[in-house]
Amino acid sequence: MTFLKKHKNDILLILAVLILAGGFWLYSSFAMDKGGEAVISVDGKELCRLPLGVDTTYTIGEGEHFNSLVISGGEAWMADASCPDHICVNSGKVSLEGQSIVCLPNKTIVSIVGGEDSGLDGVAG
Amino acid sequence: MKTKKLTTHALLLALALILSYLENLVPMSFAVPGIKLGLPNVVIVYALYKLGAKSAVSISIVRVILVSILFGNVMTMIYSLVGAALALILMWLLKKSKKFSPVGVSVAGALGHNAGQIFTAMVLLETGGLIYYLPALCISGAVSGVLIGILGGILVKRIK
């Protein structure tokens, strides 16, 4: 009991953080729709938009600083990058609206937005 | 006394630098991009309790600048400085309230680092979508914060 009493505020703080994070995570995973386009931006400026419905490989940048983005089966991921930490490559696949892959060293962001392409599935189905 | 103070600060700074280096050797980002153990925060928690807020701030800021020069770049320096500043403010407030043990203080520090870096990235890169990283970073921050806090607490008690 003394342990609980002594650390009451610590435990409350940790619980509050976990509940808030869990709640936000649940909310975002339910509220997010499947995205239609991958928006690529470098240094805060939009470079181009690629539809998720079309399988492709796109290399952002050239020479020493590059990120290689692959789109396949409605999902996008970084296959390779020049950055030392490879956090963007380890981020895995994104496909839901609002998700993004970030490469801080190259200032590159790939974010998924709704786009018109999401209507195609309905047409095809 | 002045020499002793200077030496203590230099020693702690060196220790924080070594811990930062060790942390860079062990990549933790396989699960969630960008997560870290926060080992150097042991030193900052210790400094906050044993030497006071001023010492903790100076050691933390100098550490961030040196680590960015050694292992990072200007961008990482900006992210880390904002993260470190937010962490220091939160830790100082929680310690000052006297309602938390080093564990709570350290958790607040870990969250401050994470939130500060995410918000800086959101502003600099103009991407709101980054907020989706926050829950994962909060959970990893809480876990590593508890571990670092327990370690820091033991050190505060044992080392005079």
Side-chain angles (χ1 to χ4, degrees), chain B residues 53-137:
Chain B
K54 251 193 216 164
S55 304
V57 169
S58 50
I59 292 170
S60 179
I61 300 296
V62 176
R63 175 193 79 86
V64 166
I65 293 171
L66 286 178
V67 166
S68 303
I69 292 170
L70 288 171
F71 314 117
N73 52 42
V74 186
M75 289 304 279
T76 55
M77 192 187 290
I78 300 168
Y79 293 120
S80 308
L81 275 178
V82 177
L86 195 60
L88 284 166
I89 293 168
L90 286 176
M91 292 202 294
W92 176 70
L93 284 176
L94 256 65
K95 187 193 165 254
K96 211 169 171 253
S97 77
K98 291 198 166 60
K99 291 198 171 97
F100 296 92
S101 77
V103 176
V105 170
S106 159
V107 169
L111 295 177
H113 269 287
N114 289 339
Q117 299 201 17
I118 284 281
F119 286 126
T120 318
M122 278 167 68
V123 171
L124 286 181
L125 301 171
E126 295 167 32
T127 308
L130 287 178
I131 194 117
Y132 293 109
Y133 280 136
L134 208 53
L137 284 177

Side-chain angles (χ1 to χ4, degrees), chain B residues 19-79:
Chain B
L19 291 175
S20 310
Y21 177 66
L22 276 179
E23 194 172 62
N24 273 326
L25 287 182
V26 190
M28 294 285 295
S29 50
F30 48 84
V32 181
I35 71 163
K36 274 186 176 169
L37 255 173
L39 282 176
N41 220 29
V42 170
V43 177
I44 308 304
V45 169
Y46 177 81
L48 187 64
Y49 275 85
K50 283 285 169 182
L51 308 170
K54 251 193 216 164
S55 304
V57 169
S58 50
I59 292 170
S60 179
I61 300 296
V62 176
R63 175 193 79 86
V64 166
I65 293 171
L66 286 178
V67 166
S68 303
I69 292 170
L70 288 171
F71 314 117
N73 52 42
V74 186
M75 289 304 279
T76 55
M77 192 187 290
I78 300 168
Y79 293 120

Side-chain angles (χ1 to χ4, degrees), chain A residues 90-124:
Chain A
N90 293 328
S91 296
K93 300 177 175 180
V94 291
S95 62
L96 301 174
E97 219 179 310
Q99 280 185 320
S100 55
I101 306 172
V102 184
C103 180
L104 289 182
N106 291 349
K107 292 179 221 158
T108 302
I109 298 177
V110 176
S111 46
I112 306 297
V113 295
E116 294 152 45
D117 195 54
S118 47
L120 267 183
D121 279 348
V123 176

